[in-house]
Amino acid sequence: MTTACSWPELPPLTGYTVGVTAARRAEELGALFVRQGAAVRYGPAIRIMPVTDDTELRDSTRDLVDNPADAVVVTSGLGFRGWLEAAEAWGGCDALLDMLGGAELYARGPAAAGAVRAAGLDAGRTPASASTAGLLEELIASGVAGRRIAVQQHGEPLPQLAGALRAAGAEVVDVAVYRWVRPPDPEPLDRIIDDTVDGLIDALPFTSAPAAASMLARAGSTRRYGPLVAAMRRDVLVAAVGPAAAGPLASAGVPVLRPSRARMGALAYTLSCELTERAPTIRVAGHTLQVRGQAVVVDGGLRELAPAPMAVLRALAGNPGVVVSRRDLLASLPNGGEEHAVETAVGRLRTALGDPRIVQTVVKRGYRLAIPEAEVAAPAPASGAPDAGPAGPAGEAVLGW
């Protein structure tokens, strides 16, 4: 079986639609997919808001300067840089850097470590897993009883980390630099949720846990949690930049693809490769078909399809050459309907493909791709939709809607 790369004149992600829910660097992430031919839809699930009252951050920073920490946990590059910038605005950056230089530093991942090094400091220890759990393991192994530990938070509270450190005997100072809040206009996110449920989104990359949690929470508060999670488990390629971002998705039972390196570029590359590898290429009625997310490539040329004909083609291509009943095809249509809707969708599909022989009618049984019976493989087992209610644990995330 070949992949999308078989036709170099078409960018590898042509025909796919990617949903981007990030608040920060969303356009940069989207551009990585647009350059490969994908259509990108934006619907921020969160927005990053500076602490509205800098007094709390200033007080905690002054406290650390006056009573230095033995260790400082840096959870994100953006949060660490924001901390230094805030201190610079108060005229206290040098004192903060002196305190940090005298403490043992722990960076949660490569981005955090890079920000620490950029400030002229030793990045200290970074867990190989680039996760909060790995960070906690490193800290506990070093011995924390009686030590003063500052935890720089960025957006998402880390109660488990702070709680575990306190339980192990440490004095913990929380440093809140930014916080995540709901987007002022939920409509773009609502459209992404609806499009995901309707099969119009092929991939969802996540760069932060709060964005993933907020999307699930929004779906839960609008009675779409079950259909959204079902689509994410079954039809949509879901990816996360690292284990922290994958956390809320994994808790909802969603399979999550992760790159080998916790970088946005690596996330886009890994997701792109997986999408192209999943594209089936089929020889039928003298033509070569490659079914992509929202389109089909026929003999090297892209044919864009409306949702209903696209749904029919996906169902037929799922088991090439096997007869699919009208009832099953009807169930695959975005808006359902009566059997006449199947006939209409098949007719539109035949027209779009350019050769009516590609889709064969099997009298009183249904339709199939016109592949010689000797070449038809055994049908793949049906994948039932998971049982997901209208709301779930992730729907009760910290960013409630």
Side-chain angles (χ1 to χ4, degrees):
M1 180 178 291
T2 57
T3 70
C5 298
S6 301
W7 293 288
E9 65 273 14
L10 284 177
L13 294 188
T14 301
Y16 292 98
T17 299
V18 178
V20 173
T21 62
R24 189 176 65 91
R25 301 174 69 188
E27 292 185 1
E28 182 180 346
L29 176 61
L32 296 175
F33 298 108
V34 170
R35 282 199 291 269
Q36 298 185 71
V40 176
R41 298 180 186 173
Y42 297 93
I46 54 173
R47 62 184 171 118
I48 302 172
M49 190 173 185
V51 177
T52 55
D53 184 0
D54 284 340
T55 302
E56 183 179 345
L57 178 60
R58 184 183 300 192
D59 287 348
S60 60
T61 302
R62 183 182 294 118
D63 178 48
L64 286 169
V65 169
D66 294 340
N67 302 284
D70 299 301
V72 177
V73 177
V74 180
T75 62
S76 74
L78 179 64
F80 185 76
R81 289 190 295 271
W83 190 12
L84 296 182
E85 290 168 5
E88 181 72 33
W90 309 324
C93 188
D94 289 342
L96 175 58
L97 287 172
D98 287 343
M99 185 279 295
L100 292 168
E104 189 174 9
L105 299 183
Y106 292 79
R108 181 165 67 173
V116 171
R117 285 192 293 267
L121 300 167
D122 184 349
R125 303 184 184 183
T126 303
S129 63
S131 67
T132 300
L135 190 63
L136 179 60
E137 185 177 342
E138 287 268 358
L139 283 160
I140 297 298
S142 70
V144 298
R147 303 182 73 195
R148 193 166 201 248
I149 300 176
V151 178
Q152 168 261 308
Q153 298 187 4
H154 172 225
E156 53 178 317
L158 300 170
Q160 292 180 334
L161 174 60
L165 291 174
R166 290 189 176 102
E171 176 192 355
V172 179
V173 180
D174 289 318
V175 181
V177 182
Y178 293 92
R179 61 189 176 95
W180 304 110
V181 296
R182 291 178 293 177
D185 178 12
E187 186 175 345
L189 177 60
D190 284 338
R191 285 197 296 267
I192 290 233
I193 293 173
D194 285 339
D195 287 346
T196 301
V197 170
D198 291 341
L200 303 179
I201 298 290
D202 303 302
L204 288 168
F206 290 92
T207 57
S208 74
S214 182
M215 183 178 187
L216 293 170
R218 177 64 180 175
S221 69
T222 54
R223 310 296 295 175
R224 293 174 293 173
Y225 180 86
L228 174 65
V229 170
M232 295 171 81
R233 290 175 182 173
R234 183 187 61 236
D235 302 321
V236 181
L237 179 59
V238 179
V241 73
L249 301 162
S251 296
V254 174
V256 183
L257 179 71
R258 281 169 39 196
S260 58
R261 298 175 66 245
R263 292 283 193 273
M264 192 165 66
L267 171 67
Y269 176 78
T270 301
L271 188 148
S272 300
C273 288
E274 181 68 19
L275 276 178
T276 56
E277 289 175 3
R278 289 185 176 190
T281 300
I282 306 163
R283 289 289 302 173
V284 52
H287 301 279
T288 300
L289 272 64
Q290 186 181 63
V291 180
R292 300 192 178 186
Q294 306 299 321
V296 59
V297 177
V298 182
D299 299 330
L302 187 72
R303 309 288 179 91
E304 295 184 348
L305 302 179
M310 190 71 230
V312 168
L313 180 58
R314 287 196 200 103
L316 297 177
N319 286 302
V322 175
V323 178
V324 182
S325 70
R326 287 179 173 83
R327 177 183 298 177
D328 288 342
L329 290 176
L330 182 62
S332 73
L333 296 182
N335 298 313
E338 300 179 353
E339 284 199 9
H340 177 69
V342 173
E343 297 172 5
T344 301
V346 169
R348 295 172 67 189
L349 174 61
R350 285 170 169 159
T351 300
L353 294 177
D355 185 346
R357 298 176 302 160
I358 293 176
V359 178
Q360 182 182 38
T361 301
V362 181
V363 179
K364 295 185 179 181
R365 292 181 60 196
Y367 300 91
R368 65 188 288 272
L369 294 181
I371 296 173
E373 292 187 5
E375 300 176 15
V376 176
S383 57
D387 181 14
E396 301 169 358
V398 64
L399 290 178
W401 289 80

